[in-house]
Amino acid sequence: MPHVVVIGAGITGVTSAYELNKLGYEVTVIDRHLFPAMETSFANGGQLSACNAEVWNQKATVLKGIKWMSKKDAPLLLNPSFSAHKYRWLIEFLTHIKNYKANTIETVRLALLARQRLFEIAEKESISFDLEKRGILHMYHTKEDYEIAKKVNDVLVEGKLERNAITPDEMRAIEPTLTGDYFGGYYTAGDATGDIHKFSVGLAEKTQQNGVKYRFGLDVVDVKFTQDKAVVHCKNSSENVNPSSDGITEIIADLVLVCGGVGSYQLADMLGDSVNVYPVKGYSITVQLKDERSVKNAPWVSLLDESAKIVTSRLGADRLRIAGTAEFNGYNRDIRADRIQPLINWVNQNFDISTEHVVPWAGLRPMMPNMLPVVKQGKQPRVFYNTGHGHLGWTLSAATAVLISQEIAEKFPS
């Protein structure tokens, strides 16, 4: 049976390992961290959101980004300091404005496939991850925002998404905790929310029980190819404080699958490919609901406030996740207070809950200029990619894991 080394134990790596294991492959997953899902798959917005499948390649987005550059609390922030990688990515992003509609429809298609597959996996493997199938409610405060949303909705519906326009009264009937003023909304009943970290860890444990090996605390430093093998060279990562050896660890396999998140750019370069992933930082807060009032007044239905570009997910009885913002600032992972405070303010403005106990987080979304994930074979036939999912890794990964596993099975049958 062929042996596949999967690089990366985030949501894409773990779902890929699951699908490959099901097809009969021997699988080893490598990650630089000591546990699964410790980077972008740790504390995202929680939404499994086909309704959020619109790609960002629009002139309006670019103009807003330019306008917001001087505002520290803006939803989109671009550090203008020079970086060849960043500006090359931005130029390529502009070239895909013409593909806005086609790429949005393709993203909807993938999201609907992924939603169905993720529900199947969760049920079959009995994974507990605070799943809530209550839909997602998009909220619009002004007529202008709502009119733009109508056009977006037409594209999403063309992609076969079931999404309905609703009135402010209907919005409050769907989510009674809403207190703001709204012009209108859109509701996608089939979408859901859940804790991506809990799911990833739960699925990793299931795959481990089924024979998948996990090698944590290792950085991939090189990959060599012989006529019929791939030799992956690793060294202990900075987190590996109790190394069994300080030298190079060799893992011999038949195939390599890159699921490296924002590290995929460097990994692809090492493997002779160009995968133009750029890290786009997002922030979240997890509000600990410690009193009866907060538990009662925190929303259960997932929300997306279009003007603030902020999303919510209820993660069980005692946690509310709030996420948003996009920051083009390289591989900087710092949690900035001036980016966290607007999320806290938004909660205080919209809900009667306590924000005394808040856990902040920042993660880097692995984003491609065309906003579509990279699911393909590399120039070297023993290399494959499942990466670059941007802000939709949680939403799309269950589908792309199936697609890349099927492609591997066609070319290297188990």
Side-chain angles (χ1 to χ4, degrees):
M1 102 183 40
H3 179 201
V4 184
V5 163
V6 177
I7 303 175
I11 185 66
T12 54
V14 171
T15 50
S16 297
Y18 176 81
E19 299 295 351
L20 287 165
N21 178 254
K22 287 279 175 211
L23 291 173
Y25 290 87
E26 182 187 346
V27 182
T28 301
V29 183
I30 303 171
D31 199 281
R32 65 187 305 274
H33 297 291
L34 304 182
F35 311 96
M38 292 304 291
E39 287 202 13
T40 313
S41 301
F42 187 76
N44 73 350
Q47 291 188 329
L48 293 157
S49 52
C51 65
N52 205 17
E54 181 196 14
V55 299
W56 297 1
N57 309 75
Q58 274 194 302
K59 284 177 187 168
T61 308
V62 176
L63 294 172
K64 276 182 187 173
I66 293 166
K67 187 177 80 177
W68 284 334
M69 273 173 71
S70 60
K71 287 181 66 181
K72 282 189 174 179
D73 61 350
L76 178 66
L77 202 61
L78 172 69
N79 181 340
S81 66
F82 183 75
S83 146
H85 181 196
K86 177 169 61 187
Y87 281 99
R88 192 172 86 247
W89 189 96
L90 289 168
I91 290 164
E92 199 178 325
F93 174 90
L94 296 174
T95 68
H96 287 287
I97 289 174
K98 64 182 184 296
N99 304 320
Y100 162 82
K101 184 177 177 182
N103 287 352
T104 295
I105 288 171
E106 172 61 8
T107 308
V108 175
R109 184 187 75 83
L110 284 173
L112 293 175
L113 289 171
R115 192 169 74 184
Q116 183 182 345
R117 181 60 181 152
L118 189 129
F119 291 164
E120 286 169 2
I121 294 169
E123 189 172 350
K124 184 179 179 186
E125 306 298 345
S126 302
I127 298 171
S128 174
F129 62 106
D130 297 318
L131 176 64
E132 293 294 336
K133 293 183 177 179
R134 298 176 190 247
I136 295 178
L137 175 60
H138 272 65
M139 313 183 303
Y140 303 91
H141 295 270
T142 66
K143 185 178 180 182
E144 183 189 6
D145 281 349
Y146 190 75
E147 291 302 322
I148 293 167
K150 273 187 186 173
K151 293 173 186 170
V152 174
N153 191 64
D154 289 343
V155 179
L156 297 174
V157 169
E158 197 175 325
K160 303 290 189 287
L161 182 68
E162 291 183 26
R163 188 169 182 255
N164 303 108
I166 53 171
T167 66
D169 286 343
E170 289 169 324
M171 289 167 65
R172 291 186 186 93
I174 290 167
E175 181 43 73
T177 65
L178 287 177
T179 58
D181 292 322
Y182 309 100
F183 182 83
Y186 277 94
Y187 181 57
T188 312
D191 276 346
T193 54
D195 186 322
I196 186 173
H197 185 252
K198 278 189 179 181
F199 179 86
S200 302
V201 170
L203 189 59
E205 286 171 358
K206 292 289 180 184
T207 60
Q208 218 165 359
Q209 290 163 18
N210 293 328
V212 173
K213 295 184 182 73
Y214 284 82
R215 303 288 301 271
F216 292 112
L218 291 178
D219 272 322
V220 175
V221 292
D222 196 13
V223 183
K224 300 285 189 202
F225 296 94
T226 63
Q227 194 173 348
D228 60 349
K229 294 289 178 188
V231 184
V232 183
H233 295 184
C234 307
K235 67 173 185 181
N236 292 313
S237 75
S238 58
E239 293 182 23
N240 198 340
V241 292
N242 297 309
S244 53
S245 78
D246 289 328
I248 296 293
T249 302
E250 283 190 359
I251 301 171
I252 299 170
D254 298 287
L255 307 167
V256 174
L257 174 58
V258 176
C259 302
V262 295
S264 299
Y265 178 77
Q266 290 81 4
L267 287 164
D269 190 52
M270 181 196 300
L271 293 162
D273 292 305
S274 176
V275 175
N276 196 14
V277 164
Y278 188 80
V280 179
K281 183 154 60 168
Y283 292 85
S284 78
I285 56 171
T286 306
V287 183
Q288 312 292 318
L289 307 171
K290 290 180 175 280
D291 59 273
E292 196 177 323
R293 173 176 65 94
S294 297
V295 169
K296 183 179 151 209
N297 292 332
W300 278 99
V301 173
S302 181
L303 308 171
L304 196 156
D305 185 332
E306 190 59 36
S307 60
K309 303 290 185 191
I310 285 174
V311 306
T312 75
S313 296
R314 184 72 176 262
L315 302 176
D318 58 357
R319 292 186 301 153
L320 179 67
R321 176 74 47 75
I322 315 291
T325 74
E327 190 176 299
F328 288 78
N329 195 19
Y331 292 85
N332 178 296
R333 289 178 168 83
D334 294 349
I335 299 173
R336 289 172 47 178
D338 60 345
R339 304 294 277 157
I340 292 295
Q341 194 59 47
L343 299 177
I344 298 170
N345 293 348
W346 184 88
V347 176
N348 290 327
Q349 286 159 8
N350 286 279
F351 301 100
D352 181 22
I353 66 176
S354 168
T355 51
E356 182 183 359
H357 302 283
V358 164
V359 181
W361 175 83
L364 302 178
R365 308 175 183 100
M367 210 156 259
M368 291 295 292
N370 64 353
M371 309 293 288
L372 293 175
V374 178
V375 186
K376 69 172 188 179
Q377 188 175 30
K379 287 177 190 168
Q380 158 59 246
R382 295 183 178 276
V383 172
F384 294 83
Y385 294 89
N386 179 20
T387 190
H389 294 63
H391 65 301
L392 294 174
W394 187 210
T395 296
L396 301 179
S397 55
T400 61
V402 171
L403 294 174
I404 199 64
S405 302
Q406 288 173 345
E407 185 169 351
I408 287 170
E410 282 170 22
K411 288 167 180 171
F412 294 88
S414 63

